[in-house]
Amino acid sequence: MSREAAHALRAVRAIRRARAEGSSRGDVVYAVYAGVMVAAIVGVPIVRAVVLYLAEPAASAVLVDVGPTVSGTVFALACAAFVALGGVRGPALLSPFLLFAVAGGGHPRRRTLLGPVVRSVLALAVAGAGLALLPALAVAGVGDATVGGALVFAGAGALVGVVCGGCWLLGQRVTAAVRAWTVVGVVATWAAWVAVPGIGGVLPWGWFASLFPVGGGEVGAADAALGWGALSGLGVLAAAALAVTPMLLDGLRGPELLSQAQRWQTAGTLAFTGDLAMAMGEFRAVPRRGRRLAAIGGGGLALMFARRDLVGSLRTPARFALACAGCVGFGLLITVAVGASGPGVWIAACAAAIVGFLALGVWSDGFRHVAEVASAPPLYGVSTLRLLGLHAVLPVVGGVVFSGVGVGVGGVVLGGALGGVGGGVGVEPSWSALVAAVLCVLLLVLVRVYDSAKGPLPLTLMAPVPTPAGDASALVVAAWQADAVILSGVVVGVTVVSVAGGVGGGVLVAVGLGVVVGWMARARVLAV
């Protein structure tokens, strides 16, 4: 060991010793106590409500029908998402100072960076087991599965979490091109699993889907053998992910590690001060592709602006692909919400609102440009409101097209189950879902316009708000930061519920909501 490496190692140990001395045993006990109390007060009621809803006859019937397909799909898309996430924030991450100390020391990274990776993989394993156990217990509670099957599925969920951790570290290690091709390969194998019958026996998505606990009767010897084979396959895959972890850690490059650490430290500081917009801007992809695509062309203003915005989004292909996938997922969730009943409508509608709001943000960069130039004199005789309308062409067209694709996918995959829940109305839920998706896209575009002119956090909101329970200023800041997301959940939820009760009434309700949100957006934009 060189003298510089030994000095760096002593410095890191001194820092860790100082941190350990700074946090007393009482602080650790209090942190554990606070975490347990928060989980008991907030988490347990939410989990109980979800399990009770899934245990209802209509919901459990849908869960039994689509549970295996959804489980395999979630596994595949999670692997692809974690590979992509590795390029932004990998599991092997330390503060810039510690990273500089250990990376410049000469020690193998399999030793210096193993701690955060182990913690991340353990967290994903626990999360995977919990998310798998939730629907499994609901199915077992109505007698459609055994408790043993539910526990086996939870164990498979833990193995899936370990595999996702390996994909996360792989995405941090490889280059951008390899990362993109890996994501494409995972999505392609998932599409093959969905389209080709009988191929699930050789794909991990099929292994996990086959372990979904359905059927409350006795399990035959052949089915038991297939189940243990699928569980063994997932175990081998998780073991392989753990085995290659040291090699992946040693291959991590110092500049990329330091860049990620500095970016996340800056984003954390901005988020702590309440500037979430600037914090999210730290992770916005830099345009590096499509420089030869002409952004300016002929045609009217609407076509010219649509082409300009489309070319701008294509110059960040990953963001464009996420926008398309997000809008497809939005349409799929709208289909689920229209065909559900009870609290499931609001759960699916709120999930769709969040996904759609985030997906449309990729095509809404023009709105932010309008907000920046709103106080300047209008260029070429185009007013601010007309400029907003011109920039709205791409998000409206893209959102409607890809959400319509999502509704079609939902009608094919979930058509039978939703038709049964909807009282045997046949193809009507698909048309209702299509109308609801189109209306919700238009409303979410208005919400995006409203959010684009938000501006920085007012300093008056940072003032203390004394209450009997303590200072509530953090809640005020959180509500101000999440106002667009909350508004999205309200307008999408109300629209979906109204369309499910009748298409005509739903259209009238959506028009009323559009007038209100449009007035709010107009007032905020003109006040800039």
Side-chain angles (χ1 to χ4, degrees), residues 358-375:
L358 295 176
L360 291 176
V362 178
W363 294 325
S364 302
D365 291 337
F367 297 152
R368 288 187 284 270
H369 170 256
V370 175
E372 291 176 358
V373 302
S375 59

Side-chain angles (χ1 to χ4, degrees), residues 270-296:
L270 292 172
F272 181 77
T273 58
D275 197 346
L276 290 183
M278 289 294 293
M280 295 298 294
E282 289 291 322
F283 305 102
R284 187 168 293 130
V286 179
R288 295 178 180 176
R289 305 286 183 181
R291 292 295 183 181
R292 296 183 179 180
L293 296 176
I296 306 300

Side-chain angles (χ1 to χ4, degrees), residues 46-252:
I46 295 176
V47 172
R48 180 177 179 273
V50 172
V51 172
L52 289 178
Y53 169 72
L54 293 177
E56 294 181 359
S60 62
V62 176
L63 188 61
V64 170
D65 287 337
V66 304
T69 303
V70 172
S71 300
T73 300
V74 169
F75 182 20
L77 297 184
C79 289
F82 275 105
V83 171
L85 179 62
V88 180
R89 199 274 190 198
L93 192 69
L94 296 173
S95 65
F97 174 75
L98 288 178
L99 187 62
F100 179 78
V102 300
H107 296 282
R109 292 195 172 100
R110 67 176 62 192
R111 291 177 54 190
T112 56
L113 298 177
L114 184 60
V117 174
V118 170
R119 290 190 293 269
S120 300
V121 172
L122 286 176
L124 288 176
V126 173
L131 293 176
L133 187 61
L134 194 64
L137 288 180
V139 175
V142 296
D144 289 331
T146 61
V147 177
L151 295 178
V152 169
F153 189 65
L159 296 176
V160 165
V162 175
V163 175
C164 290
C167 293
W168 194 7
L169 183 59
L170 176 66
Q172 187 179 14
R173 165 63 182 86
V174 298
T175 61
V178 176
R179 194 161 48 241
W181 282 110
T182 303
V183 172
V184 171
V186 171
V187 175
T189 57
W190 166 77
W193 171 65
V194 173
V196 181
I199 200 176
V202 298
L203 293 175
W205 340 126
W207 300 342
F208 188 52
S210 66
L211 293 173
F212 189 84
V214 291
E218 294 294 333
V219 180
D223 293 335
L226 290 176
W228 284 112
L231 189 62
S232 300
L234 291 175
V236 170
L237 202 60
L242 295 177
V244 300
T245 295
M247 182 182 63
L248 293 176
L249 286 175
D250 288 339
L252 293 175

